[in-house]
Amino acid sequence: MHGTTLLLIEVGALLFALGMLGRLGRSIGLSPIPLYLLAGLAFGHGGLVPLSASEEFIEIGASMGVILLLVMLGLEYSAGELISNLRAAAPAGLMDALFNALPGAAFAFLLGWDWRAALVLAGITWVSSSGVIAKVLGDLGRLGNRETPVILSVLVIEDLAMAFYLPLVTAVLAGAGLIGGAKALAVAVITVLAVLVVAIRYGRQISALISARDAEALLLGVFGLTLFVAGVAEELNVSAAVGAFLVGIAISGPVAHHATEMLSPLRDLFAAVFFVFFGLSTNPADMPPVLLPALGLAVITMLTKVLTGYLAAKRVGIALPGRLRAGLALMPRGEFSIVIAGLAVASGVEPRLAPLATAYVLITVVSGPLLARLPDYEWFKTFIRRWRQPSTPAVRPLTAED
C-alpha cells in the first residue's frame, strides 16, 4: 500500500475513533482527556494496534495542539487583568506552589531520581488543569459562585508561573545546568515583561492590525502570528508554548473574542492529537510497576490541592462549603502536566517518568471531576452541618445532693 494512502487511513481512523471517545466521555460526564490517553496507549509501541505511517503527522499535530492550548488560554485574559489577578492572588499562588510542587519533588527523591527529574515532577504535581476545571465549573453550574474567582485566580497564577518555569526546565533538561537554567530564566523574565509592557501599551494597535470582521483574515492572522512567535520563542529557548501564551495575552478586544470562537475547533482537534501523542510515547508494559507510586502521589497531591483551595477561599472570607468546593475543584491535573512530562521524555531524563505521569494524570483527571461533585450531595451537606455544630455537653439530671 502506498505510504500516503496508509497515512490517510490511519489518521482518518484515529480521528474518527477520537470523535467517538469524546462523545462517550461527555455522555457519561467524564473528561475525554483520559480516554485520549488510553487511545494513545492502545495505538503506540507495545499497544494493541501500533500506528507506523502516521507517527510524524501525529508528532507535528501534537506540537500544534500545545501551541493552540496556550494561545487560547492567553486569549482569556488581557495583560491588565493578568497583572491585577496576580497582585490580588499572589499569596494564594505562593501557597499553591509550596503545597503542591514540594510533594512532587520529595516523591522523586524518594524514588531515587536525580534533581532534574525532581524539578520536572514538582511541576507536574503543581499545576492544575485549567481546561478540565473550567469544564467542571460550567457543568456543575458554579461559574457564578463566590469561590469561583478564587479558583480562577489560582489557575491564572499557575499559568503565568509556567511562562517562567517552562523555559527554566527546558534549559535544565537540555543539559545547560543551573547556570544555563538561570540564564534561560533571565531571558524568559525579560521576554515576558517586555511582552506584557507591549501588550498593555500597544495591545489595541496590535489587535487593530488583524481585522475582526474578515473571518478568513482573522483566522490566518492570529494563527500565523501565533506560530511565528512560538517559533521565535523556541529559537530563544523560551519555549514555543510560552510564546503562544504571550501572543494570546497581547491580543484583546473583539479580535480576541472572535479568535477564541474561530480557533476553538482547531484547538479541540489538535489538543486531542496531543494527548494521543503522549499516550503513543508511553509503552503500556511500563505502566503496572508505577501504578502504586502514581496512586500514592495522586492521593497526597489531591489532598494538598484541597488544602490550597480551602485556605485560599478562607482568606477572602468564604464560608466552609465554598472552601471545600474550591479545594475539590482544583484537584485535576491535565494539559500542563503532560506538556512538562513530554519535555522530560524528549530529553530522556528518567524512563519511568512518562508512565508515572500518564498514570498520575489519568487518576487525577478521572477522580477529580467526580470528587468535585461531593459538596452537591445531600449526605455530604448533612455531614458538614453536623461537623460545624459545636458539641454541646450532656445535661446531667439533678440529684438529691444538688
Side-chain angles (χ1 to χ4, degrees):
M1 188 181 295
H2 193 274
T4 306
T5 306
L6 185 58
L7 172 69
L8 290 175
I9 291 173
E10 285 189 358
V11 172
L14 177 65
L15 294 181
F16 182 77
L18 294 182
M20 294 299 103
L21 288 174
R23 184 179 179 188
L24 173 65
R26 278 182 280 276
S27 66
I28 58 177
L30 189 68
S31 165
I33 293 176
L35 300 179
Y36 296 155
L37 289 170
L38 290 174
L41 290 172
F43 296 131
H45 298 289
L48 298 175
V49 188
L51 302 180
S52 54
S54 56
E55 279 186 355
E56 188 177 353
F57 175 87
I58 293 173
E59 185 174 357
I60 296 173
S63 300
M64 303 276 274
V66 176
I67 289 170
L68 285 167
L69 277 171
L70 272 292
V71 72
M72 294 290 289
L73 200 60
L75 285 170
E76 295 292 325
Y77 309 99
S78 69
E81 290 171 339
L82 198 67
I83 291 175
S84 299
N85 280 324
L86 181 63
R87 287 173 179 165
L94 180 62
M95 187 168 54
D96 177 43
L98 291 175
F99 286 178
N100 298 287
L102 291 181
F107 202 83
F109 287 124
L110 195 65
L111 292 174
W113 296 355
D114 66 12
W115 65 273
R116 295 180 304 161
L119 179 65
V120 172
L121 197 54
I124 290 172
T125 58
W126 173 11
V127 188
S128 298
S129 171
S130 302
V132 173
I133 293 171
K135 189 171 189 312
V136 169
L137 292 176
D139 291 346
L140 298 181
R142 297 181 184 169
L143 291 176
N145 283 18
R146 280 196 66 202
E147 76 275 6
T148 299
V150 176
I151 297 170
L152 295 179
S153 297
V154 171
L155 295 178
V156 168
I157 290 183
E158 286 181 352
D159 296 338
L160 187 61
M162 286 299 102
F164 303 105
Y165 171 84
L166 287 177
L168 173 66
V169 80
T170 302
V172 168
L173 292 175
L178 284 177
I179 296 176
K183 288 181 180 176
L185 181 60
V187 172
V189 170
I190 294 170
T191 305
V192 170
L193 291 178
V195 171
L196 287 177
V197 170
V198 170
I200 291 173
R201 292 193 175 183
Y202 306 106
R204 290 185 180 179
Q205 289 85 341
I206 294 172
S207 301
L209 292 174
I210 305 168
S211 172
R213 297 179 180 176
D214 188 337
E216 183 179 347
L218 173 69
L219 181 61
L220 292 174
V222 174
F223 194 43
L225 181 64
T226 302
L227 292 180
F228 174 78
V229 175
V232 172
E234 188 88 353
E235 189 64 25
L236 295 173
N237 291 324
V238 178
S239 165
V242 177
F245 181 67
L246 295 176
V247 169
I249 292 173
I251 296 174
S252 60
V255 174
H257 176 71
H258 291 299
T260 301
E261 292 180 345
M262 299 197 67
L263 287 174
S264 291
L266 277 179
R267 186 269 316 267
D268 295 341
L269 171 64
F270 286 108
V273 175
F274 166 70
F275 289 115
V276 169
F277 174 73
F278 189 80
L280 286 175
S281 61
T282 305
N283 191 334
D286 297 333
M287 296 281 288
V290 299
L291 275 181
L292 277 180
L295 181 61
L297 183 63
V299 170
I300 293 170
T301 55
M302 288 168 79
L303 288 175
T304 54
K305 275 292 180 185
V306 173
L307 181 62
T308 301
Y310 180 94
L311 294 178
K314 182 182 179 183
R315 184 174 162 271
V316 294
I318 294 176
L320 179 61
R323 298 175 202 167
L324 293 175
R325 285 195 296 269
L328 291 167
L330 283 170
M331 290 190 295
R333 271 70 159 188
E335 56 274 11
F336 262 129
S337 297
I338 298 295
V339 169
I340 296 166
L343 293 173
V345 170
S347 68
V349 64
E350 170 55 53
R352 289 173 293 174
L353 193 55
L356 179 72
T358 304
Y360 174 77
V361 170
L362 277 171
I363 293 169
T364 61
V365 87
V366 171
S367 60
L370 297 176
L371 293 173
R373 299 172 184 266
L374 280 179
D376 294 338
Y377 293 115
E378 197 55 43
W379 65 265
F380 190 85
K381 294 178 182 175
T382 305
F383 172 75
I384 294 299
R385 279 196 292 268
R386 288 179 179 173
W387 184 37
R388 293 176 64 184
Q389 285 176 352
S391 57
T392 54
V395 178
R396 185 171 61 87
L398 294 174
T399 62
E401 289 77 7
D402 296 328

